[in-house]
Amino acid sequence: MKQKIAFAMIMGVITTGIISFSLISINIGFNDTFLGIWLKSWGMAYVIVIPAILVIGPRIQKAIDKRI
């Protein structure tokens, strides 16, 4: 279980960081407020995605394992 939590946390940091950075830069560009908006968005996304990875991830893995 510790490995699953560690995986979710690391994967969450990487994916939410990349996605939030990309979308904020596309939508508002690089201006004076970019860093603050990005960090706030990244934090919010991270809090949402960790439970999602831990709850949805095993179900997806189970579904894939059944098909292979």
Side-chain angles (χ1 to χ4, degrees), residues 10-57:
I10 293 167
M11 195 66 181
V13 165
I14 294 168
T15 56
T16 57
I18 292 169
I19 292 168
S20 62
F21 181 89
S22 301
L23 293 176
I24 299 291
S25 64
I26 289 168
N27 286 313
I28 68 164
F30 297 103
N31 58 34
D32 295 341
T33 61
F34 176 83
L35 185 61
I37 292 171
W38 174 49
L39 292 174
K40 182 178 178 182
S41 297
W42 190 359
M44 290 170 51
Y46 185 74
V47 168
I48 293 166
V49 83
I50 295 305
I53 291 172
L54 292 172
V55 171
I56 297 168

